[in-house]
Amino acid sequence: MANFQNIKSCILDKDLKKLKENIRHTKFTELLNIINHLPDIEKVLLFEVLDEKQALKAFKLLSLSSRKGIIKQLQHEKAAKLLNSLPDDDRTTFFENLPSRTVKELIALLNDEERAHALQQLGYKEGSVGRLMTPHYIAVKQNWSIGEVFDFIKQKGKNSETVNVIYVVDDNGVLIDDIRIRDFLFVERDKKVSDLMDYQFLSLLVTDKQENTIELFRKNNRFALPVTDDKGILIGIVTIDDVLRLAEEENTRDIQKIGGSEALDEPYTQISYTNLIRKNAYRYRYGKI
């Protein structure tokens, strides 16, 4: 493995140009052998410079522990390309051997089509909340300051389905509270998230039936509800627009009652579905829900 030392030196020196050159002159079988003999942190740098075809081919042949180490440390863009390119069955096998919290984070990297396939393959049955949820939300820790929360929202909020509700999880990812964003606006930045918590929240189980969510949203006047697995770990949220769409698909009049729509200025039987969503979103955003 004469080339091993050359590649190893390039990685240690972080000489990406020379590393790419060495890779270009290395047969794939030898390259795979080299990858297997590198610690995870060095594998990651190697994967950062591999082209997409090589990276996918190598990733599929690595051990589960190596895959875990690489995916956790890869830049999101590269990790997303790997996961989106994996065949469904390979990706499912990979996910099934990971903790729920990790799977949730990785599913968030998938595009819409691949995410739907992944959720189906993972056993979230058609008609279950698992098929309705989105993994894009804001979760914080109870020991964070309010200032840290706002900094985090600025950093991650663009990718979130909503920032109207902030979810609080413990160190294991277990949901322990949900707090409306407006509650954060009237306290000092040095206050803690725990100062706002009452530990009272509603949540959905990932295996719950979708139709049950309609009634839950209607009765509790919610814009979004968190989704947990059977251990209480937060893995997604369901938002009102998804529930409204579901209600319309089921041709039910519950669509007219969800999310505080009773104060709309058009008759329920005449308002369009699009306007209903728009009006409810406006009312929630400006504190009317």
Side-chain angles (χ1 to χ4, degrees):
M1 292 178 62
N3 210 21
F4 175 79
Q5 290 303 328
N6 291 333
I7 288 178
K8 177 88 171 178
S9 296
C10 291
I11 292 174
L12 293 176
D13 295 338
K14 293 184 170 54
D15 188 340
L16 302 187
K17 184 177 180 180
K18 194 173 180 180
L19 179 58
K20 288 180 180 180
E21 187 66 23
N22 274 280
I23 289 173
R24 191 177 300 115
H25 294 93
T26 304
K27 292 182 179 179
F28 178 78
T29 51
E30 184 183 357
L31 180 62
L32 184 63
N33 195 24
I34 291 172
I35 293 172
N36 281 323
H37 282 81
L38 292 172
D40 284 346
I41 192 168
E42 294 177 10
K43 287 187 178 81
V44 171
L45 185 58
L46 186 57
F47 266 80
E48 291 288 3
V49 301
L50 287 175
D51 64 45
E52 189 173 335
K53 186 176 180 180
Q54 281 182 311
L56 177 60
K57 188 176 179 181
F59 188 76
K60 289 168 62 177
L61 296 173
L62 292 177
S63 67
L64 177 62
S65 60
S66 290
R67 287 186 184 185
K68 288 180 184 179
I70 291 168
I71 284 292
K72 284 181 180 178
Q73 298 178 67
L74 267 181
Q75 295 180 20
H76 275 190
E77 183 179 354
K78 191 83 172 186
K81 285 183 178 179
L82 278 180
L83 292 173
N84 281 305
S85 299
L86 278 177
D88 286 351
D89 53 349
D90 286 351
R91 186 172 54 221
T92 300
T93 301
F94 179 46
F95 282 170
E96 284 177 341
N97 287 278
L98 298 175
S100 295
R101 180 173 51 172
T102 304
V103 172
K104 175 259 297 183
E105 293 169 355
L106 297 181
I107 285 178
L109 298 178
L110 300 175
N111 60 43
D112 291 343
E113 182 180 357
E114 294 302 327
R115 187 183 307 132
H117 290 321
L119 293 174
Q120 181 179 6
Q121 291 289 326
L122 284 169
Y124 299 150
K125 296 180 180 179
E126 187 172 356
S128 71
V129 166
R131 294 284 196 95
L132 194 63
M133 69 180 182
T134 173
H136 301 297
Y137 55 86
I138 297 292
V140 302
K141 301 291 183 65
Q142 61 180 329
N143 62 335
W144 287 15
S145 70
I146 304 304
E148 287 176 313
V149 170
F150 282 121
D151 290 342
F152 186 71
I153 292 173
K154 286 179 182 178
Q155 181 184 7
K156 302 290 186 179
K158 288 183 179 179
N159 297 321
S160 178
E161 187 79 8
T162 176
V163 294
N164 288 308
V165 182
I166 308 300
Y167 300 96
V168 187
V169 296
D170 67 13
D171 290 337
N172 295 314
V174 174
L175 177 67
I176 54 178
D177 209 350
D178 61 358
I179 305 172
R180 292 191 176 189
I181 187 64
R182 64 189 184 194
D183 293 335
F184 288 90
L185 299 176
F186 304 104
V187 293
E188 299 298 324
R189 285 178 61 88
D190 60 350
K191 291 285 188 180
K192 298 291 185 182
V193 172
S194 55
D195 294 328
L196 302 179
M197 294 174 60
D198 61 9
Y199 298 91
Q200 301 296 315
F201 61 91
L202 289 173
S203 64
L204 300 166
L205 195 61
V206 69
T207 52
D208 285 345
K209 292 182 179 179
Q210 290 180 2
E211 56 262 31
N212 295 342
T213 67
I214 299 173
E215 185 69 7
L216 196 60
F217 269 78
R218 185 185 70 80
K219 285 184 175 180
N220 295 283
N221 204 24
R222 294 302 180 98
F223 180 79
L225 281 174
V227 181
T228 70
D229 66 7
D230 57 2
K231 296 179 181 178
I233 294 175
L234 179 63
I235 56 176
I237 64 171
V238 172
T239 59
I240 192 171
D241 57 335
D242 294 318
V243 176
L244 288 168
R245 192 177 301 112
L246 174 66
E248 184 181 49
E249 288 171 358
E250 295 190 354
N251 195 27
T252 171
R253 291 177 63 86
D254 277 352
I255 191 173
Q256 302 162 354
K257 304 174 184 177
I258 300 172
S261 60
E262 63 276 8
L264 296 171
D265 56 2
E266 297 179 49
Y268 290 140
T269 55
Q270 296 178 19
I271 188 169
S272 70
Y273 170 65
T274 302
N275 284 340
L276 180 58
I277 292 178
R278 185 181 298 116
K279 286 173 180 286
N280 275 289
Y282 176 88
R283 295 175 66 247
Y284 188 89
R285 181 176 300 169
Y286 292 99
K288 299 178 183 293
I289 292 182

